[in-house]
Amino acid sequence: MRLAIFYLTLFLLQAFTGAVAGDAPAPDFFLIAMLTLLGRIPLWQLLLAGYGVGLVQDLAGHGVLGVHAMGLAVAAYVASIARGQMSGQGPLERLLVLLAAHAGKWAAFLLLIGWLAGPPPIWTDLGVTFLLEGLLTAALGLLIVPWAHALMDRGKVLAEDYL
């Protein structure tokens, strides 16, 4: 139950920060929610979870249906590759995984949007959005991901002996 409240809180935080930020980029709490499952479930389930979380983001927000879904699925894949290259679970490794996932998500966004609508006219706006969203997501992810892992460990949710 605590974990469900945790994910609902992330959903509400995304809605709140998106409304408060206005035109400024808000942190991506959906990406953080997907990354809380990294290392807890097999890769194919993580990809499906990333796609599902992104689909919820597409349905809750506006835009082309499936773009966030594909972006978070690619982010899940890139994050799993980055995590496999790391030796530990310290804050630096967590930060690098968060930044790699963010970069993977945006690479998928640029490919999909470029394919659907052509190249964006203003690259500087996308660069600023990429940097600000990445910094905010990484900073909050460093706090939220360990909290989610503590909740999962405390309730023995997604423990290896149950999978």
Side-chain angles (χ1 to χ4, degrees):
M1 184 66 179
R2 290 180 187 166
L3 206 55
I5 292 171
F6 171 78
Y7 286 115
L8 180 63
T9 303
L10 287 182
F11 180 78
L12 293 174
L13 278 172
Q14 183 71 53
F16 177 74
T17 57
V20 169
D23 290 337
D28 192 353
F29 288 102
F30 287 99
L31 177 68
I32 294 170
M34 183 272 305
L35 288 177
T36 61
L37 300 173
L38 183 65
R40 299 274 178 177
I41 57 177
L43 178 60
W44 68 272
Q45 290 176 352
L46 183 67
L47 293 175
L48 288 176
Y51 191 85
V53 168
L55 200 56
V56 168
Q57 187 174 10
D58 285 332
L59 292 172
H62 52 82
V64 178
L65 188 63
V67 172
H68 283 99
M70 189 58 70
L72 286 186
V74 170
Y77 186 69
V78 170
S80 69
I81 290 173
R83 186 174 181 265
Q85 301 300 316
M86 305 293 165
S87 62
Q89 283 296 325
L92 180 60
E93 287 87 359
R94 196 174 302 120
L95 176 66
L96 291 174
V97 168
L98 281 161
L99 292 174
H102 178 71
K105 178 187 87 165
W106 272 85
F109 279 0
L110 291 176
L111 286 173
L112 287 172
I113 292 171
W115 178 45
L116 293 172
I122 303 173
W123 286 99
T124 56
D125 290 344
L126 284 177
V128 168
T129 302
F130 171 78
L131 287 175
L132 286 177
E133 181 185 310
L135 290 174
L136 291 171
T137 302
L140 289 171
L142 286 174
L143 299 171
I144 294 172
V145 171
W147 183 31
H149 286 208
L151 282 173
M152 288 179 193
D153 289 341
R154 185 175 183 189
K156 301 226 185 268
V157 177
L158 299 176
E160 289 183 22
D161 51 334
Y162 293 121
L163 294 178

